[in-house]
Amino acid sequence: MFLFLGAYGSDLLEFIVEGGTVQRWWNDQRMWTIRVLSSYLFAFLEYFLKCLGISTYGFSLTNKVVDDEQSKRYDQGVFDFGVPSPMFVPITVAAIINLVSFFMGLMQVLKGSNSEELFLQMSMAGFVVVNCMPIYEAVVLRRDKGRMPVKITTISTCLVLTLYVLASQVLFI
């Protein structure tokens, strides 16, 4: 925990010394989560498939800011998930899993289970939940064009339920 907090504190200090703000630093931390679970994951899969000689789709650049509303959200630092993309599925799956894990752990703590054993798990899940707030907001709260497409939310929820069923089968065998 000390190393985790020290690394984040050091990164925040460097960010502020270079003229950044806490809000920009926090958005940068969120972007790291999104990059790891989306573009890096898909880049690894494409590289792996290419090494196996399996044809892949390739990558094409697209214009990211299309209209004034999207540009306004960008200037406000609001994440835009409006375009249905398979890259949003792993992000949403991870967000849902961590939210459920956090609340399940919270319920165990409230029931009187050994909270010392759950402290680290709750801390990590809580950190990821806070880090994924733009995703929860895009899935549930937002009604603008930048909200998470219903198709992505549905696919992600189905994947989470499938993973839960598979994990429960493996654990009870």
Side-chain angles (χ1 to χ4, degrees):
M1 193 66 145
F2 175 76
L3 291 175
F4 178 78
L5 293 175
Y8 266 79
S10 172
D11 192 44
L12 173 62
L13 182 63
E14 286 178 24
F15 210 87
I16 290 176
V17 166
E18 293 299 319
T21 63
V22 174
Q23 180 64 36
R24 284 192 156 194
W25 171 79
W26 188 244
N27 281 341
D28 186 57
Q29 300 307 307
R30 291 173 171 172
M31 283 308 301
W32 266 105
T33 303
I34 290 171
R35 276 187 291 236
V36 166
L37 290 171
S38 61
S39 59
Y40 293 174
L41 175 65
F42 280 87
F44 170 75
L45 289 173
E46 185 166 338
Y47 175 78
F48 183 70
L49 292 173
K50 200 175 271 188
C51 286
L52 293 175
I54 299 172
S55 176
T56 59
Y57 285 107
F59 180 76
S60 61
L61 294 174
T62 59
N63 187 5
K64 301 299 180 224
V65 178
V66 178
D67 59 15
D68 291 334
E69 184 182 332
Q70 199 172 23
S71 180
K72 183 179 170 185
R73 284 191 302 268
Y74 177 77
D75 290 339
Q76 292 173 340
V78 176
F79 288 80
D80 191 353
F81 298 100
V83 179
S85 171
M87 287 194 168
F88 294 149
V89 172
I91 298 166
T92 309
V93 166
I96 292 169
I97 288 173
N98 278 288
L99 184 65
V100 170
S101 298
F102 180 76
F103 281 118
M104 294 296 286
L106 190 60
M107 285 180 13
Q108 292 216 348
V109 168
L110 293 175
K111 283 182 186 176
S113 294
N114 192 355
S115 58
E116 290 177 13
E117 291 180 10
L118 292 173
F119 177 73
L120 186 58
Q121 290 94 343
M122 293 289 295
S123 298
M124 290 304 294
F127 175 77
V128 175
V129 165
V130 170
N131 219 1
C132 290
M133 287 307 284
I135 297 164
Y136 304 130
E137 179 183 292
V139 168
V140 178
L141 300 177
R142 288 174 56 184
R143 297 291 172 230
D144 59 4
K145 290 182 183 176
R147 77 179 310 253
M148 187 73 70
V150 175
K151 180 180 179 181
I152 300 297
T153 305
T154 305
I155 291 170
S156 300
T157 304
C158 289
L159 281 172
V160 167
L161 290 172
T162 303
L163 287 171
Y164 174 75
V165 168
L166 290 174
S168 63
Q169 293 295 322
V170 168
L171 291 175
F172 291 117
I173 291 183

